[in-house]
Amino acid sequence: MDKIPICGGWSDDIPADDNVKEICNQAQHDVEKQEGKHYQEFLALKYRSQLVNGTNYLIEVQVAHNECLHLKIHQSLPCYGNQTKVTGVQKKKPSDELHVF
């Protein structure tokens, strides 16, 4: 039986779906600007989510061989414009676990 998400609690790791891949595509420019770097590769691999006033996402994104970024992204509710905002970026290796930061 699947776990029911608890409002305010983080989900377990989930393979990136089309929605999360689209969120990453929307966030790529902001991440590149924040990091001062252009990424040829920007592939969402897995994520965790948290239901709050909108949704917080922790997303593991592969940006090169053996190099990943962990992104913290907030997506507001549709009634507030469904805006996507990058709230944190950490450089990681693919073997690093996806932890809240």
Side-chain angles (χ1 to χ4, degrees), residues 1-39:
M1 179 178 226
D2 292 335
K3 289 183 182 179
I4 298 172
I6 298 171
C7 190
W10 285 94
S11 72
D12 293 331
D13 289 1
I14 303 167
D17 57 21
D18 289 342
N19 180 57
V20 168
K21 290 175 184 176
E22 179 58 31
I23 290 168
C24 281
N25 288 342
Q26 292 172 13
Q28 183 174 356
H29 176 74
D30 290 340
V31 170
E32 290 175 341
K33 188 175 178 181
Q34 187 173 335
E35 294 295 298
K37 197 172 182 181
H38 174 72
Y39 297 105

Side-chain angles (χ1 to χ4, degrees), residues 55-97:
T55 305
N56 287 325
Y57 293 93
L58 293 174
I59 306 171
E60 181 175 281
V61 178
Q62 184 170 337
V63 294
H65 177 70
N66 206 30
E67 185 181 345
C68 288
L69 297 176
H70 286 183
L71 309 181
K72 189 171 183 184
I73 296 174
H74 179 78
Q75 187 173 47
S76 64
L77 294 169
C79 61
Y80 296 115
N82 215 29
Q83 298 295 314
T84 300
K85 181 179 179 183
V86 177
T87 59
V89 178
Q90 290 185 337
K91 293 178 182 148
K92 298 288 184 175
K93 295 200 177 291
S95 59
D96 292 338
E97 291 188 33

